[in-house]
Amino acid sequence: MSDTDTRSATNPTAQRYPLSGYGVIVPSERIAAAFAAGADYAESTIVGNLVVAEGDGWVRNPAYDATVRRGSFAILFPAELSLADPGVPADRVTAYLDAAMPIIGSVAEPGAKIVFGSGTARTIPDGVDLAAARKRFAEVVVETRDAAERNELQIVLEPLNRRETNLLNSLEETVAFLDEFDIERVPVVADLFHIMLEAEPLSVVRDLGPRIGHAHIADADRRPPGQGDWPLSPFIEALRAGGYDGPVTVECLFEDFQPELEAALAHLRRLA
């Protein structure tokens, strides 16, 4: 039996839901409301939603809605798991990946994307040598990529603004890091929120188009698209001009989730 057949047998009632169009990052309890608002897909959170701590390990949350296979996931690593500190035993990361990746694979579309952001987990602690920290994080990225591929998944590495982490803050820096350590088969995430906070030109989105594997979008102050003045249309145009033709996920703060998401998705579709 193939891995895909095994996943189907584990949850034979699961519906296929390929990744396309416009979606939203949500925990399990908001998935139904996301589809009711018109989302093309739900980007499921991992830590504390799909994967939960139990004792010294990690297990699948029995309350997770597994009726629809997901095409993308976010929030991969727990904040307490230090990924850029060579003084932390590497087997802690390995143990988490060995537990989490099969769980994600059990509810995922084959080839589903996992956004590797995890800003707190990858932050270089005070006093740690920068070169050693970068080398250790590169090892983690490779190990995570390989663990994902064994479960028919793909990681995409997300630059995060410097308020969230001190390691890999821009698209250019993240691509340069992957090239420096000869890390292949790891695309990057273009997230308008981090791009705007880092004042990275949208021309970089276009120029690095072949390296972009996923996209996130929000309006000013992480409000839903259409509620601010950020360059949503130029961002989408830069993605398309660079050759990225994949989905775009809304990642923002909602006050009234379903109606705000419905308006945001309608706004994005009008722009497109």
Side-chain angles (χ1 to χ4, degrees):
M1 181 179 287
S2 70
D3 290 342
T4 303
D5 292 337
T6 301
R7 286 207 294 267
S8 298
T10 301
N11 184 14
T13 63
Q15 305 168 43
R16 291 176 56 84
Y17 216 99
L19 197 63
S20 63
Y22 292 95
V24 61
I25 294 181
V26 285
S28 187
E29 64 268 19
R30 281 187 166 178
I31 287 174
F35 285 117
D40 294 312
Y41 63 93
E43 187 163 306
S44 184
T45 54
I46 298 170
V47 175
N49 178 43
L50 170 57
V51 176
V52 294
E54 183 176 88
D56 294 330
W58 298 86
V59 299
R60 175 172 160 175
N61 181 359
Y64 179 83
D65 178 4
T67 57
V68 176
R69 293 197 180 280
R70 306 293 163 205
S72 63
F73 299 82
I75 311 181
L76 174 57
F77 284 101
E80 65 271 18
L81 190 60
S82 185
L83 306 177
D85 185 350
V88 173
D91 59 3
R92 294 183 187 175
V93 174
T94 301
Y96 176 76
L97 291 171
D98 286 347
M101 284 299 178
I103 295 171
I104 301 167
S106 73
V107 299
E109 284 283 324
K113 302 175 185 178
I114 301 175
V115 175
F116 188 160
S118 304
T120 301
R122 82 180 193 216
T123 295
I124 302 172
D126 292 341
V128 174
D129 177 74
L130 176 60
R134 286 169 57 85
K135 180 177 182 294
R136 173 60 190 140
F137 186 66
E139 293 168 350
V140 170
V141 172
V142 171
E143 182 178 10
T144 305
R145 178 202 66 192
D146 294 348
E149 289 180 349
R150 287 194 297 272
N151 290 275
E152 297 187 63
L153 304 166
Q154 179 188 43
I155 65 164
V156 281
L157 187 58
E158 183 177 27
L160 301 173
N161 72 83
R162 66 194 70 194
R163 300 178 191 176
E164 298 185 20
T165 189
N166 57 10
L167 180 58
L168 305 183
N169 304 121
S170 70
L171 284 167
E172 285 191 320
E173 183 183 9
T174 303
V175 167
F177 172 86
L178 292 168
D179 290 346
E180 175 187 352
F181 289 95
D182 295 321
I183 301 174
E184 299 179 341
R185 306 191 308 282
V186 178
V188 298
V189 180
D191 186 317
L192 183 61
F193 178 74
H194 302 295
I195 288 168
M196 293 297 291
L197 290 191
E198 289 298 310
E200 192 165 24
L202 291 181
S203 58
V204 173
V205 176
R206 181 196 63 228
D207 295 344
L208 293 179
R211 305 293 294 271
I212 293 173
H214 197 50
H216 286 166
I217 196 166
D219 220 323
D221 299 321
R222 266 214 197 278
R223 295 198 299 273
Q227 292 190 18
D229 59 359
W230 275 3
L232 308 181
S233 185
F235 173 65
I236 294 171
E237 290 171 359
L239 285 169
R240 304 313 184 201
Y244 176 77
D245 60 358
V248 178
T249 303
V250 174
E251 182 184 12
C252 62
L253 302 174
F254 295 96
E255 294 182 2
D256 192 358
F257 178 69
Q258 189 168 326
E260 285 188 316
L261 177 59
E262 185 174 355
L265 294 170
H267 182 73
L268 290 173
R269 289 172 178 134
R270 284 194 297 272
L271 295 180

